[in-house]
Amino acid sequence: MVNKNVLNAMAETIKPLGKKTVKQEQILDAAITLFAEKGYSNTSTAEIAEVAEGTIFKQYGTKENLLLSLLVPFIKDFLPVMADELVKELMNDDISFEEFLRSLFKNRTAFFLENREVFQIFIKELIYREDLKNELLPYIIENASSGFIKVIEIFQKRGELVDKEPEFILKTLSTVISGFFISRFVLLNRHSISDEEIDGITFSILNGIGKVDSITT
Amino acid sequence: MVNKNVLNAMAETIKPLGKKTVKQEQILDAAITLFAEKGYSNTSTAEIAEVAEGTIFKQYGTKENLLLSLLVPFIKDFLPVMADELVKELMNDDISFEEFLRSLFKNRTAFFLENREVFQIFIKELIYREDLKNELLPYIIENASSGFIKVIEIFQKRGELVDKEPEFILKTLSTVISGFFISRFVLLNRHSISDEEIDGITFSILNGIGKVDSITT
Amino acid sequence: MVNKNVLNAMAETIKPLGKKTVKQEQILDAAITLFAEKGYSNTSTAEIAEVAEGTIFKQYGTKENLLLSLLVPFIKDFLPVMADELVKELMNDDISFEEFLRSLFKNRTAFFLENREVFQIFIKELIYREDLKNELLPYIIENASSGFIKVIEIFQKRGELVDKEPEFILKTLSTVISGFFISRFVLLNRHSISDEEIDGITFSILNGIGKVDSITT
Amino acid sequence: MVNKNVLNAMAETIKPLGKKTVKQEQILDAAITLFAEKGYSNTSTAEIAEVAEGTIFKQYGTKENLLLSLLVPFIKDFLPVMADELVKELMNDDISFEEFLRSLFKNRTAFFLENREVFQIFIKELIYREDLKNELLPYIIENASSGFIKVIEIFQKRGELVDKEPEFILKTLSTVISGFFISRFVLLNRHSISDEEIDGITFSILNGIGKVDSITT
DNA sequence: GATGAATGAGGATTCATTCAT
DNA sequence: CATGAATGAATCCTCATTCAT
């Protein structure tokens, strides 16, 4: 597992959390809103600091560091549930894969809704910056893959998933899940997701949109 | 159908096409490469104009206009095949939906590969700019929907697609297709897509990843 | 004698000496080291105050005043020995001019070595600031001249110095002595001066570098 | 001979000379005057650019580079005459060392008067910046030493200089010469040097200030 | 008395755009 | 038409100084 400490390295450069002053909170909130709306590059530090611009730099050193200060906690929260903790959620009961998938969508939807703006910033910056992409994407993929592959294998044994390579199933899942969240929260800037929509995408992932008796494989 | 003339409005502001001089081509090429690599905001006109910066403004008026000058032809090419012309492709023979879907993926893959960089620019700017998003997205969705809904209804009549609302099927298709291309070409910056990958995603869309006899609907 | 009270005026603006707290000592020490190394302009008060920046301003009012607070005691120590006290050192015994000169060099070398950093700050700021230069240089020159001229006249009477205008001899001495200390301690940042070097420059000042029997005067 | 190409390295980073536009000349002139008067650190680029600040950066890239652009030509002119070309000046006739020394002072005085402000900038920056000092001083010393040592040896053979180590004589000369020019042009900001003053320092260097028949060595 | 967060004026630098040649 | 020097507003960042705790 390469680059395991990318996030730790990033985390070390940012301000220790918890010690936030009122001003710091104001800055972070303004930064999140503006970065999400207009993007990091198109937001000036003058806009973020409603009062004194210098305060930003006293607190965060650089504009870049301010960005990391709001991204790192998000990523640290965002990753685990994509992997190890996900397995735990499964172990304690014998839910079906459909239930598992639906609860995954609901859980992540809730998380992204809570962090909608930071998620937007994350995706937007990820797309723009080669460095972030090269450092984080492999790490995220690696991190998420290991947990998911296990889950897929478990459900294959239970006979709930097609007998294809787990990697094939993972690829399909990644494409649909990432497509679902990115299109809803980043492209369409949705502020809510209905249960029906989650049920719908869960159904489609499991059953496909083809009629069962017409499958031409 | 709202905003039908968004593109025409955009097109009118840009230089008439076809009259491209050598200089213009140089500028366009450099702009495409740089915008795709670093993003519009992070590319300066000085970088684009290897020689005379003034030429850009003589030719395109503003940097914004240079961006539109390379996006508009792409969008004009990109949209039709998502809609009307797609239907024509269907009419003349009685291919299965699977074949239709596969050829759609292949066709769009070829198109995006040919215009990989402009596609990246398009998506990146779409994500970043509220204005572009608000003007283009509804138009694209509208435009693509009408054609697709017809196709879906045709295949439903032929019994190849599940008996759900065409809009439901369209939503699934949009999510997966947009997810597929954005993840491959923008997030992962792929330079090629294998036939196996297309076969794979086509299969998954049609059949899902659940085992047929375990479907819990 | 113009500007006789330049130093007193400067001294009045600064904190009364002797009452130095631990904190003040820390600040002064840090300031001396940093000012000497990087110069006054290139040292920020944040660097000087390892802990609380406010303390500097509580103690010294302004950064400028902190500079004066460390320069004034140095200048007050530095000047007298160049003048009056120098004469006293002569009166009680009948040393030769060579011995006098050598002991002057040794005395000043010891003093500058003890205050190497403050001497560097003094010269660097003197060179940079027209105001300091215009206020201090005439005062220093005046102050030092009067004492030295007396000494020179004494030694001329004893027949140990050439029969030129005392002002001429003073000018030569000033040039060489200032050149010696500035080149060693400021330009070359020497941390020690050997006795041989002092003997050498003393010899050259007295005898010149020309061969006695070839003098073309 | 180490660092022989320090200057070349510096020279490569700066704008090629000769292509100066009117604006560039204005900027250089303003920069020289202001840097000499207030020092590099205390001069803002806004002050230098009477019209558009951006022009400085279009032309010189950075403020630092502007400094080098005016220092490098000076240093390139300043160094040679301290060394090799000096020897040539000697070869063609059999002047006495006194005449040589006087003409050296006159030559350098004329040069420094012509470049008074740049010389001030040079010395002021040399004193302040460790990096410049560490790179240039050894180079200058090396460069000047080799030429001077030869000259000293020639005159020692002619019996015009004391029979001490050439290095000893060089050290004395360096101290007095650098002291002379730095005190006159940098500390005292003189705008002219009289022939009498040059004759005086030349005399003192050669004969010393001690009375010949009282030498106690 | 000490602290350090907050301040805001000022500084170096960037960059889209203009215009004289 | 093409050029590239000149522009100046805007940007990120620094820093001496203030002030509430």
Side-chain angles (χ1 to χ4, degrees), chain C residues 35-42 96-98 101 120 123-130 133 137 141 156 159-164 168-169 171-173 175-176 178-180 182-184 186-190 196-197 199-201 203-217, chain D residues 35-42 96-98 101 120 123-128 130 133 137 141 156 159-164 168-169 171-173 175-176 178-184 186-190 196-197 199-201 203-217:
Chain C
F35 286 169
E37 189 188 324
K38 320 173 19 176
Y40 173 80
S41 290
N42 306 313
S96 68
F97 185 75
E98 188 179 351
L101 197 55
Q120 288 182 357
I123 295 295
K124 287 176 180 178
E125 287 309 307
L126 199 63
I127 282 178
Y128 253 82
R129 298 158 161 256
E130 285 309 300
K133 205 151 73 180
L137 263 194
I141 289 171
Q156 278 186 321
E160 294 188 42
L161 293 177
V162 287
D163 294 328
K164 300 232 171 193
F168 171 85
I169 296 176
K171 206 187 257 184
T172 297
L173 273 174
T175 301
V176 183
S178 67
F180 183 82
I182 293 177
S183 62
R184 265 65 174 176
V186 183
L187 274 178
L188 301 172
N189 194 23
R190 287 266 198 83
E196 285 71 36
E197 194 157 15
D199 289 345
I201 194 71
F203 173 87
S204 293
I205 290 175
L206 273 170
N207 309 316
I209 59 172
K211 217 166 194 170
V212 176
D213 52 316
S214 78
I215 290 170
T216 61
T217 321
Chain D
F35 286 170
E37 189 188 322
K38 319 172 22 175
Y40 173 81
S41 291
N42 306 313
S96 67
F97 184 76
E98 189 180 351
L101 197 55
Q120 288 181 358
I123 295 295
K124 287 176 179 179
E125 288 309 306
L126 198 63
I127 283 177
Y128 253 81
E130 286 308 301
K133 208 151 73 178
L137 263 194
I141 289 171
Q156 280 187 319
E160 295 188 42
L161 292 177
V162 289
D163 293 328
K164 299 231 171 193
F168 172 85
I169 296 176
K171 205 188 257 186
T172 297
L173 273 175
T175 300
V176 183
S178 66
F180 183 82
F181 287 116
I182 291 176
S183 62
R184 265 66 175 176
V186 184
L187 275 177
L188 301 172
N189 193 23
R190 288 266 197 83
E196 286 69 38
E197 193 157 16
D199 289 346
I201 193 72
F203 172 87
S204 293
I205 291 175
L206 272 171
N207 309 315
I209 58 173
K211 215 163 195 171
V212 176
D213 53 317
S214 77
I215 290 171
T216 60
T217 321

Side-chain angles (χ1 to χ4, degrees), chain A residues 60-78:
Chain A
Y60 297 96
T62 62
K63 189 188 169 190
E64 177 89 15
N65 205 270
L66 170 59
L67 175 67
L68 292 181
S69 294
L70 53 89
L71 278 186
V72 167
F74 168 81
I75 302 174
K76 286 209 154 183
D77 264 17
F78 163 65

Side-chain angles (χ1 to χ4, degrees), chain D residues 13-15 27 31 35 40 45 48 53-70 129:
Chain D
T13 68
I14 67 171
K15 268 241 124 181
I27 292 171
F35 286 170
Y40 173 81
T45 50
I48 296 168
E53 209 174 346
T55 307
I56 291 179
F57 295 91
K58 190 84 174 190
Q59 294 298 338
Y60 296 96
T62 61
K63 189 188 170 190
E64 177 90 15
N65 206 269
L66 170 59
L67 175 68
L68 291 181
S69 294
L70 53 89
R129 299 158 162 257

Side-chain angles (χ1 to χ4, degrees), chain A residues 188, chain B residues 1-11 71-72 74-80 82-84 122 126 131-147:
Chain A
L188 301 172
Chain B
M1 217 178 283
V2 211
N3 282 338
K4 212 173 185 174
N5 42 13
V6 174
L7 272 179
N8 293 329
M10 285 168 71
L71 279 186
V72 168
F74 168 81
I75 302 174
K76 286 207 154 183
D77 264 19
F78 164 65
L79 280 185
M82 295 300 282
D84 312 326
F122 175 64
L126 199 62
D131 56 340
L132 253 189
K133 206 151 72 177
N134 293 337
E135 295 205 338
L136 276 183
L137 262 194
Y139 179 51
I140 291 174
I141 290 170
E142 184 92 30
N143 202 310
S145 295
S146 65

Side-chain angles (χ1 to χ4, degrees), chain D residues 48-106:
Chain D
I48 296 168
E50 283 118 354
V51 215
E53 209 174 346
T55 307
I56 291 179
F57 295 91
K58 190 84 174 190
Q59 294 298 338
Y60 296 96
T62 61
K63 189 188 170 190
E64 177 90 15
N65 206 269
L66 170 59
L67 175 68
L68 291 181
S69 294
L70 53 89
L71 278 186
V72 167
F74 168 81
I75 302 173
K76 285 209 153 182
D77 265 17
F78 163 64
L79 279 186
V81 192
M82 295 300 284
D84 310 326
E85 296 183 17
L86 196 78
V87 180
K88 289 181 198 153
E89 198 180 327
L90 275 174
M91 289 318 177
N92 44 7
D93 32 44
D94 45 6
I95 55 171
S96 67
F97 184 76
E98 189 180 351
E99 286 167 58
F100 163 77
L101 197 55
R102 200 183 345 256
S103 77
L104 173 69
F105 267 105
K106 286 195 172 163

Side-chain angles (χ1 to χ4, degrees), chain B residues 24 28 41 81 112 154 171-172 184 201 215-216:
Chain B
Q24 269 191 60
L28 266 188
S41 290
V81 192
F112 288 145
I154 290 170
K171 205 187 259 185
T172 297
R184 265 66 174 177
I201 195 69
I215 290 171
T216 60

